[in-house]
């Protein structure tokens, strides 16, 4: 129980830090030095990649869209319901639907217009914070966390999941900058806000009944045998 309490404290503290950093960016993204930094990042990406990254980043940005996340959510819900992991299935819904609603709320508050660049993909809503970045870190991050716990409980290499997912999330964020639909600070803000939601979901997961948490059961068996 003490380990769980410490984990909860760490998650809440990290969530608070992400929220504070997001607020700092949200209140200052129109400052000249932040705008200059954003322009430098965009120019560097275009100069480094040129048109060569068009196809790759269009595919990557598609992975971060609802066209992938919602079907994946539906499949996983069915899997978890079959496994009688009802709370985990519910938490997945809270994770994705919640972060998308939060993103819509934040966009309506800040109402930042999109960059005045050629948009290589279609967009319709405000710019800050980036929905793709925010949704991806929350949803894919939580899926990676669940898979990490499962692999770790079974004694299999688990860190590779975190590394692979982290790379994917960063690429999704970069794709939004490269495709001209977001400023760099939109993406960073999205990562912070989505990261806070991810940590909140992980916090809620610590309250999921033990019988639904494979890692806890495995650890309990090991502790009993020792």
């Amino acid at each position: 129980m003490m380990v769980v309490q410490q984990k909860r404290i760490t998650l809440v503290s990290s969530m608070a830090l992400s929220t504070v950093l997001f607020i700092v960016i949200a209140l200052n993204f129109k400052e000249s030095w932040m705008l200059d930094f954003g322009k430098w990042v965009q120019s560097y990406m275009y100069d480094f990649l040129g048109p060569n990254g068009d196809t790759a980043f269009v595919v990557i940005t598609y992975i971060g869209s609802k066209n992938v996340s919602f079907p994946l959510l539906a499949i996983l819900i069915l899997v978890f319901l079959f496994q009688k992991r009802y709370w985990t299935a519910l938490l997945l819904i809270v994770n994705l639907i919640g972060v998308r609603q939060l993103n819509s709320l934040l966009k309506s508050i800040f109402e930042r217009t999109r960059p005045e660049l050629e948009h290589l993909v279609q967009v319709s809503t405000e710019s800050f914070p980036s929905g793709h970045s925010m949704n991806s870190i929350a949803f894919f991050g939580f899926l990676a966390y669940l898979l990490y716990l499962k692999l770790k409980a079974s004694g299999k290499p688990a860190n590779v999941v975190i590394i692979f997912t982290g790379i994917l999330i960063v690429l999704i964020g970069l794709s939004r900058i490269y495709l001209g639909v977001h400023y760099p600070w939109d993406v960073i803000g999205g990562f912070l806000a989505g990261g806070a939601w991810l940590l909140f979901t992980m916090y809620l997961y610590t309250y999921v009944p033990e019988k639904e948490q494979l890692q806890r059961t495995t650890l309990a068996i090991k502790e009993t045998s020792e």
Side-chain angles (χ1 to χ4, degrees):
M1 180 60 76
M2 183 64 68
V3 174
V4 176
Q5 290 296 340
Q6 291 176 346
K7 184 175 184 179
R8 288 171 181 167
I9 292 173
T10 300
L11 289 171
V12 171
S13 300
S14 300
M15 182 173 61
L17 178 60
S18 294
T19 302
V20 169
L21 291 175
F22 171 80
I23 293 174
V24 170
I25 291 176
L27 295 178
N28 294 280
F29 65 71
K30 293 183 179 180
E31 294 292 327
S32 59
W33 71 269
M34 296 187 79
L35 293 173
D36 291 340
F37 173 78
K39 292 178 181 178
W40 176 81
V41 172
Q42 288 172 314
S43 297
Y44 180 82
M45 286 190 67
Y46 299 147
D47 292 342
F48 182 73
L49 295 173
N52 299 320
D54 289 7
T55 302
F57 277 125
V58 167
V59 172
I60 291 170
T61 211
Y62 182 82
I63 295 174
S65 72
K66 62 182 180 180
N67 296 323
V68 172
S69 58
F70 277 118
L72 184 56
L73 174 65
I75 293 171
L76 290 172
I77 288 175
L78 293 176
V79 170
F80 287 136
L81 291 178
F82 178 77
Q83 296 176 345
K84 297 183 178 180
R85 299 181 68 182
Y86 305 117
W87 288 105
T88 306
L90 177 60
L91 203 50
L92 270 179
I93 297 173
V94 171
N95 174 277
L96 182 57
I97 302 300
V99 75
R100 292 183 66 85
Q101 292 301 314
L102 178 59
N103 179 254
S104 296
L105 174 62
L106 292 174
K107 283 179 180 291
S108 67
I109 291 174
F110 296 105
E111 296 184 328
R112 186 183 196 185
T113 57
R114 299 276 180 171
E116 296 180 356
L117 300 169
E118 179 184 1
H119 297 169
L120 300 184
V121 290
Q122 186 175 0
V123 289
S124 57
T125 58
E126 291 79 10
S127 188
F128 183 87
S130 165
H132 274 63
S133 303
M134 192 168 169
N135 301 337
S136 295
I137 194 171
F139 183 60
F140 291 136
F142 189 57
L143 296 186
Y145 175 68
L146 294 178
L147 182 56
Y148 170 86
L149 293 180
K150 183 174 182 179
L151 292 175
K152 187 176 180 180
S154 60
K156 297 178 181 178
N159 291 332
V160 65
V161 174
I162 303 300
I163 295 173
F164 175 80
T165 306
I167 293 174
L168 175 62
I169 292 170
V170 169
L171 287 175
I172 289 173
L174 290 176
S175 74
R176 306 306 287 172
I177 300 172
Y178 178 86
L179 296 174
V181 295
H182 277 296
Y183 298 99
W185 290 111
D186 298 341
V187 171
I188 296 173
F191 283 154
L192 289 170
W197 190 260
L198 166 62
L199 292 165
F200 174 65
T201 312
M202 291 168 62
Y203 172 79
L204 293 180
Y205 186 76
T206 64
Y207 289 95
V208 169
E210 185 175 341
K211 63 181 180 180
E212 289 196 19
Q213 295 196 25
L214 176 61
Q215 189 191 41
R216 287 193 189 179
T217 303
T218 305
L219 291 177
I221 294 174
K222 288 182 178 180
E223 290 174 359
T224 302
S225 62
E226 291 176 356

PDB file of all heavy atoms in Angstrom, residues 144-170:
ATOM      1  N   ALA A 144       0.713   2.521 -23.965  1.00  0.00           N
ATOM      2  CA  ALA A 144       2.089   2.083 -23.728  1.00  0.00           C
ATOM      3  C   ALA A 144       2.292   1.731 -22.263  1.00  0.00           C
ATOM      4  O   ALA A 144       2.987   0.754 -21.929  1.00  0.00           O
ATOM      5  CB  ALA A 144       3.071   3.167 -24.160  1.00  0.00           C
ATOM      6  N   TYR A 145       1.688   2.511 -21.379  1.00  0.00           N
ATOM      7  CA  TYR A 145       1.797   2.257 -19.942  1.00  0.00           C
ATOM      8  C   TYR A 145       1.178   0.906 -19.582  1.00  0.00           C
ATOM      9  O   TYR A 145       1.775   0.114 -18.827  1.00  0.00           O
ATOM     10  CB  TYR A 145       1.107   3.387 -19.185  1.00  0.00           C
ATOM     11  CG  TYR A 145       1.050   3.190 -17.696  1.00  0.00           C
ATOM     12  CD1 TYR A 145       2.208   3.217 -16.921  1.00  0.00           C
ATOM     13  CD2 TYR A 145      -0.169   2.975 -17.049  1.00  0.00           C
ATOM     14  CE1 TYR A 145       2.157   3.042 -15.547  1.00  0.00           C
ATOM     15  CE2 TYR A 145      -0.230   2.806 -15.678  1.00  0.00           C
ATOM     16  CZ  TYR A 145       0.939   2.835 -14.930  1.00  0.00           C
ATOM     17  OH  TYR A 145       0.879   2.652 -13.577  1.00  0.00           O
ATOM     18  N   LEU A 146       0.010   0.616 -20.119  1.00  0.00           N
ATOM     19  CA  LEU A 146      -0.656  -0.661 -19.844  1.00  0.00           C
ATOM     20  C   LEU A 146       0.171  -1.833 -20.378  1.00  0.00           C
ATOM     21  O   LEU A 146       0.327  -2.861 -19.704  1.00  0.00           O
ATOM     22  CB  LEU A 146      -2.050  -0.680 -20.464  1.00  0.00           C
ATOM     23  CG  LEU A 146      -3.075   0.300 -19.891  1.00  0.00           C
ATOM     24  CD1 LEU A 146      -4.393   0.189 -20.646  1.00  0.00           C
ATOM     25  CD2 LEU A 146      -3.284   0.054 -18.398  1.00  0.00           C
ATOM     26  N   LEU A 147       0.697  -1.672 -21.592  1.00  0.00           N
ATOM     27  CA  LEU A 147       1.508  -2.739 -22.178  1.00  0.00           C
ATOM     28  C   LEU A 147       2.808  -2.910 -21.407  1.00  0.00           C
ATOM     29  O   LEU A 147       3.284  -4.039 -21.210  1.00  0.00           O
ATOM     30  CB  LEU A 147       1.797  -2.418 -23.647  1.00  0.00           C
ATOM     31  CG  LEU A 147       2.593  -3.469 -24.434  1.00  0.00           C
ATOM     32  CD1 LEU A 147       1.903  -4.829 -24.371  1.00  0.00           C
ATOM     33  CD2 LEU A 147       2.769  -3.028 -25.882  1.00  0.00           C
ATOM     34  N   TYR A 148       3.376  -1.807 -20.950  1.00  0.00           N
ATOM     35  CA  TYR A 148       4.593  -1.850 -20.140  1.00  0.00           C
ATOM     36  C   TYR A 148       4.361  -2.664 -18.869  1.00  0.00           C
ATOM     37  O   TYR A 148       5.172  -3.525 -18.498  1.00  0.00           O
ATOM     38  CB  TYR A 148       5.030  -0.433 -19.794  1.00  0.00           C
ATOM     39  CG  TYR A 148       6.143  -0.346 -18.770  1.00  0.00           C
ATOM     40  CD1 TYR A 148       7.480  -0.428 -19.168  1.00  0.00           C
ATOM     41  CD2 TYR A 148       5.860  -0.183 -17.418  1.00  0.00           C
ATOM     42  CE1 TYR A 148       8.501  -0.357 -18.238  1.00  0.00           C
ATOM     43  CE2 TYR A 148       6.878  -0.105 -16.482  1.00  0.00           C
ATOM     44  CZ  TYR A 148       8.197  -0.199 -16.888  1.00  0.00           C
ATOM     45  OH  TYR A 148       9.201  -0.138 -15.960  1.00  0.00           O
ATOM     46  N   LEU A 149       3.250  -2.415 -18.191  1.00  0.00           N
ATOM     47  CA  LEU A 149       2.934  -3.148 -16.968  1.00  0.00           C
ATOM     48  C   LEU A 149       2.773  -4.640 -17.237  1.00  0.00           C
ATOM     49  O   LEU A 149       3.243  -5.484 -16.468  1.00  0.00           O
ATOM     50  CB  LEU A 149       1.653  -2.592 -16.340  1.00  0.00           C
ATOM     51  CG  LEU A 149       1.713  -1.169 -15.783  1.00  0.00           C
ATOM     52  CD1 LEU A 149       0.361  -0.776 -15.212  1.00  0.00           C
ATOM     53  CD2 LEU A 149       2.801  -1.043 -14.720  1.00  0.00           C
ATOM     54  N   LYS A 150       2.112  -4.950 -18.351  1.00  0.00           N
ATOM     55  CA  LYS A 150       1.879  -6.353 -18.681  1.00  0.00           C
ATOM     56  C   LYS A 150       3.183  -7.075 -18.992  1.00  0.00           C
ATOM     57  O   LYS A 150       3.418  -8.197 -18.518  1.00  0.00           O
ATOM     58  CB  LYS A 150       0.931  -6.457 -19.876  1.00  0.00           C
ATOM     59  CG  LYS A 150       0.567  -7.892 -20.242  1.00  0.00           C
ATOM     60  CD  LYS A 150      -0.476  -7.934 -21.332  1.00  0.00           C
ATOM     61  CE  LYS A 150      -0.859  -9.376 -21.650  1.00  0.00           C
ATOM     62  NZ  LYS A 150      -1.901  -9.446 -22.705  1.00  0.00           N
ATOM     63  N   LEU A 151       4.035  -6.449 -19.791  1.00  0.00           N
ATOM     64  CA  LEU A 151       5.308  -7.068 -20.148  1.00  0.00           C
ATOM     65  C   LEU A 151       6.221  -7.204 -18.928  1.00  0.00           C
ATOM     66  O   LEU A 151       6.882  -8.228 -18.739  1.00  0.00           O
ATOM     67  CB  LEU A 151       6.007  -6.250 -21.229  1.00  0.00           C
ATOM     68  CG  LEU A 151       5.340  -6.239 -22.610  1.00  0.00           C
ATOM     69  CD1 LEU A 151       6.070  -5.285 -23.547  1.00  0.00           C
ATOM     70  CD2 LEU A 151       5.320  -7.649 -23.202  1.00  0.00           C
ATOM     71  N   LYS A 152       6.241  -6.169 -18.104  1.00  0.00           N
ATOM     72  CA  LYS A 152       7.080  -6.200 -16.911  1.00  0.00           C
ATOM     73  C   LYS A 152       6.638  -7.296 -15.958  1.00  0.00           C
ATOM     74  O   LYS A 152       7.463  -7.990 -15.352  1.00  0.00           O
ATOM     75  CB  LYS A 152       7.024  -4.844 -16.210  1.00  0.00           C
ATOM     76  CG  LYS A 152       7.994  -4.727 -15.038  1.00  0.00           C
ATOM     77  CD  LYS A 152       7.961  -3.322 -14.447  1.00  0.00           C
ATOM     78  CE  LYS A 152       8.931  -3.209 -13.271  1.00  0.00           C
ATOM     79  NZ  LYS A 152       8.905  -1.843 -12.678  1.00  0.00           N
ATOM     80  N   ALA A 153       5.321  -7.493 -15.833  1.00  0.00           N
ATOM     81  CA  ALA A 153       4.788  -8.525 -14.949  1.00  0.00           C
ATOM     82  C   ALA A 153       5.144  -9.930 -15.427  1.00  0.00           C
ATOM     83  O   ALA A 153       5.332 -10.837 -14.618  1.00  0.00           O
ATOM     84  CB  ALA A 153       3.272  -8.388 -14.839  1.00  0.00           C
ATOM     85  N   SER A 154       5.263 -10.084 -16.744  1.00  0.00           N
ATOM     86  CA  SER A 154       5.580 -11.396 -17.306  1.00  0.00           C
ATOM     87  C   SER A 154       7.078 -11.613 -17.464  1.00  0.00           C
ATOM     88  O   SER A 154       7.518 -12.633 -17.991  1.00  0.00           O
ATOM     89  CB  SER A 154       4.884 -11.572 -18.653  1.00  0.00           C
ATOM     90  OG  SER A 154       5.311 -10.583 -19.568  1.00  0.00           O
ATOM     91  N   GLY A 155       7.877 -10.626 -17.023  1.00  0.00           N
ATOM     92  CA  GLY A 155       9.325 -10.770 -17.086  1.00  0.00           C
ATOM     93  C   GLY A 155       9.926 -10.505 -18.450  1.00  0.00           C
ATOM     94  O   GLY A 155      11.086 -10.852 -18.699  1.00  0.00           O
ATOM     95  N   LYS A 156       9.174  -9.882 -19.340  1.00  0.00           N
ATOM     96  CA  LYS A 156       9.660  -9.598 -20.686  1.00  0.00           C
ATOM     97  C   LYS A 156      10.174  -8.150 -20.769  1.00  0.00           C
ATOM     98  O   LYS A 156       9.796  -7.312 -19.956  1.00  0.00           O
ATOM     99  CB  LYS A 156       8.527  -9.805 -21.705  1.00  0.00           C
ATOM    100  CG  LYS A 156       8.025 -11.239 -21.751  1.00  0.00           C
ATOM    101  CD  LYS A 156       6.880 -11.367 -22.735  1.00  0.00           C
ATOM    102  CE  LYS A 156       6.349 -12.799 -22.775  1.00  0.00           C
ATOM    103  NZ  LYS A 156       5.194 -12.945 -23.703  1.00  0.00           N
ATOM    104  N   PRO A 157      11.045  -7.852 -21.757  1.00  0.00           N
ATOM    105  CA  PRO A 157      11.554  -6.482 -21.905  1.00  0.00           C
ATOM    106  C   PRO A 157      10.401  -5.502 -22.101  1.00  0.00           C
ATOM    107  O   PRO A 157       9.573  -5.682 -22.995  1.00  0.00           O
ATOM    108  CB  PRO A 157      12.419  -6.572 -23.166  1.00  0.00           C
ATOM    109  CG  PRO A 157      12.806  -8.011 -23.246  1.00  0.00           C
ATOM    110  CD  PRO A 157      11.629  -8.787 -22.734  1.00  0.00           C
ATOM    111  N   ALA A 158      10.348  -4.483 -21.258  1.00  0.00           N
ATOM    112  CA  ALA A 158       9.218  -3.555 -21.297  1.00  0.00           C
ATOM    113  C   ALA A 158       9.613  -2.148 -21.719  1.00  0.00           C
ATOM    114  O   ALA A 158       8.795  -1.418 -22.283  1.00  0.00           O
ATOM    115  CB  ALA A 158       8.540  -3.517 -19.925  1.00  0.00           C
ATOM    116  N   ASN A 159      10.853  -1.766 -21.475  1.00  0.00           N
ATOM    117  CA  ASN A 159      11.280  -0.389 -21.763  1.00  0.00           C
ATOM    118  C   ASN A 159      11.196  -0.042 -23.238  1.00  0.00           C
ATOM    119  O   ASN A 159      11.007   1.124 -23.596  1.00  0.00           O
ATOM    120  CB  ASN A 159      12.707  -0.166 -21.266  1.00  0.00           C
ATOM    121  CG  ASN A 159      12.789  -0.167 -19.745  1.00  0.00           C
ATOM    122  OD1 ASN A 159      11.818   0.173 -19.064  1.00  0.00           O
ATOM    123  ND2 ASN A 159      13.937  -0.545 -19.207  1.00  0.00           N
ATOM    124  N   VAL A 160      11.333  -1.044 -24.101  1.00  0.00           N
ATOM    125  CA  VAL A 160      11.295  -0.786 -25.537  1.00  0.00           C
ATOM    126  C   VAL A 160       9.946  -0.215 -25.949  1.00  0.00           C
ATOM    127  O   VAL A 160       9.857   0.579 -26.891  1.00  0.00           O
ATOM    128  CB  VAL A 160      11.610  -2.081 -26.329  1.00  0.00           C
ATOM    129  CG1 VAL A 160      10.525  -3.131 -26.105  1.00  0.00           C
ATOM    130  CG2 VAL A 160      11.753  -1.777 -27.807  1.00  0.00           C
ATOM    131  N   VAL A 161       8.894  -0.586 -25.241  1.00  0.00           N
ATOM    132  CA  VAL A 161       7.558  -0.066 -25.541  1.00  0.00           C
ATOM    133  C   VAL A 161       7.502   1.434 -25.291  1.00  0.00           C
ATOM    134  O   VAL A 161       6.959   2.200 -26.099  1.00  0.00           O
ATOM    135  CB  VAL A 161       6.493  -0.782 -24.677  1.00  0.00           C
ATOM    136  CG1 VAL A 161       5.119  -0.151 -24.882  1.00  0.00           C
ATOM    137  CG2 VAL A 161       6.456  -2.263 -24.995  1.00  0.00           C
ATOM    138  N   ILE A 162       8.066   1.864 -24.169  1.00  0.00           N
ATOM    139  CA  ILE A 162       8.080   3.281 -23.826  1.00  0.00           C
ATOM    140  C   ILE A 162       8.910   4.071 -24.836  1.00  0.00           C
ATOM    141  O   ILE A 162       8.515   5.157 -25.276  1.00  0.00           O
ATOM    142  CB  ILE A 162       8.641   3.487 -22.409  1.00  0.00           C
ATOM    143  CG1 ILE A 162       7.828   2.684 -21.381  1.00  0.00           C
ATOM    144  CG2 ILE A 162       8.647   4.961 -22.053  1.00  0.00           C
ATOM    145  CD1 ILE A 162       6.377   3.050 -21.319  1.00  0.00           C
ATOM    146  N   ILE A 163      10.045   3.516 -25.221  1.00  0.00           N
ATOM    147  CA  ILE A 163      10.931   4.193 -26.171  1.00  0.00           C
ATOM    148  C   ILE A 163      10.257   4.343 -27.536  1.00  0.00           C
ATOM    149  O   ILE A 163      10.242   5.436 -28.114  1.00  0.00           O
ATOM    150  CB  ILE A 163      12.259   3.423 -26.316  1.00  0.00           C
ATOM    151  CG1 ILE A 163      13.033   3.437 -24.989  1.00  0.00           C
ATOM    152  CG2 ILE A 163      13.107   4.019 -27.445  1.00  0.00           C
ATOM    153  CD1 ILE A 163      14.256   2.565 -24.987  1.00  0.00           C
ATOM    154  N   PHE A 164       9.690   3.246 -28.034  1.00  0.00           N
ATOM    155  CA  PHE A 164       9.031   3.269 -29.345  1.00  0.00           C
ATOM    156  C   PHE A 164       7.855   4.235 -29.347  1.00  0.00           C
ATOM    157  O   PHE A 164       7.684   5.041 -30.270  1.00  0.00           O
ATOM    158  CB  PHE A 164       8.549   1.869 -29.721  1.00  0.00           C
ATOM    159  CG  PHE A 164       7.764   1.815 -31.001  1.00  0.00           C
ATOM    160  CD1 PHE A 164       8.402   1.818 -32.224  1.00  0.00           C
ATOM    161  CD2 PHE A 164       6.367   1.799 -30.975  1.00  0.00           C
ATOM    162  CE1 PHE A 164       7.671   1.790 -33.413  1.00  0.00           C
ATOM    163  CE2 PHE A 164       5.631   1.777 -32.148  1.00  0.00           C
ATOM    164  CZ  PHE A 164       6.290   1.770 -33.374  1.00  0.00           C
ATOM    165  N   THR A 165       7.041   4.182 -28.299  1.00  0.00           N
ATOM    166  CA  THR A 165       5.877   5.064 -28.218  1.00  0.00           C
ATOM    167  C   THR A 165       6.299   6.525 -28.106  1.00  0.00           C
ATOM    168  O   THR A 165       5.689   7.409 -28.716  1.00  0.00           O
ATOM    169  CB  THR A 165       4.992   4.687 -27.015  1.00  0.00           C
ATOM    170  OG1 THR A 165       4.649   3.298 -27.092  1.00  0.00           O
ATOM    171  CG2 THR A 165       3.717   5.522 -26.988  1.00  0.00           C
ATOM    172  N   GLY A 166       7.354   6.781 -27.333  1.00  0.00           N
ATOM    173  CA  GLY A 166       7.858   8.137 -27.197  1.00  0.00           C
ATOM    174  C   GLY A 166       8.301   8.712 -28.528  1.00  0.00           C
ATOM    175  O   GLY A 166       8.011   9.876 -28.852  1.00  0.00           O
ATOM    176  N   ILE A 167       9.004   7.904 -29.317  1.00  0.00           N
ATOM    177  CA  ILE A 167       9.454   8.345 -30.647  1.00  0.00           C
ATOM    178  C   ILE A 167       8.257   8.646 -31.543  1.00  0.00           C
ATOM    179  O   ILE A 167       8.230   9.666 -32.250  1.00  0.00           O
ATOM    180  CB  ILE A 167      10.360   7.279 -31.292  1.00  0.00           C
ATOM    181  CG1 ILE A 167      11.675   7.162 -30.510  1.00  0.00           C
ATOM    182  CG2 ILE A 167      10.629   7.606 -32.752  1.00  0.00           C
ATOM    183  CD1 ILE A 167      12.568   6.029 -30.978  1.00  0.00           C
ATOM    184  N   LEU A 168       7.258   7.767 -31.507  1.00  0.00           N
ATOM    185  CA  LEU A 168       6.058   7.964 -32.330  1.00  0.00           C
ATOM    186  C   LEU A 168       5.346   9.262 -31.959  1.00  0.00           C
ATOM    187  O   LEU A 168       4.956  10.046 -32.840  1.00  0.00           O
ATOM    188  CB  LEU A 168       5.102   6.787 -32.156  1.00  0.00           C
ATOM    189  CG  LEU A 168       3.742   6.913 -32.862  1.00  0.00           C
ATOM    190  CD1 LEU A 168       3.929   7.020 -34.368  1.00  0.00           C
ATOM    191  CD2 LEU A 168       2.829   5.741 -32.511  1.00  0.00           C
ATOM    192  N   ILE A 169       5.190   9.507 -30.674  1.00  0.00           N
ATOM    193  CA  ILE A 169       4.498  10.712 -30.214  1.00  0.00           C
ATOM    194  C   ILE A 169       5.248  11.971 -30.636  1.00  0.00           C
ATOM    195  O   ILE A 169       4.643  12.952 -31.100  1.00  0.00           O
ATOM    196  CB  ILE A 169       4.322  10.664 -28.682  1.00  0.00           C
ATOM    197  CG1 ILE A 169       3.325   9.559 -28.305  1.00  0.00           C
ATOM    198  CG2 ILE A 169       3.853  12.016 -28.146  1.00  0.00           C
ATOM    199  CD1 ILE A 169       3.261   9.277 -26.825  1.00  0.00           C
ATOM    200  N   VAL A 170       6.561  11.968 -30.491  1.00  0.00           N
ATOM    201  CA  VAL A 170       7.370  13.121 -30.894  1.00  0.00           C
ATOM    202  C   VAL A 170       7.241  13.360 -32.403  1.00  0.00           C
ATOM    203  O   VAL A 170       7.098  14.504 -32.856  1.00  0.00           O
ATOM    204  CB  VAL A 170       8.853  12.910 -30.513  1.00  0.00           C
ATOM    205  CG1 VAL A 170       9.731  13.981 -31.163  1.00  0.00           C
ATOM    206  CG2 VAL A 170       9.023  12.947 -29.001  1.00  0.00           C
TER     207      VAL A 170
END
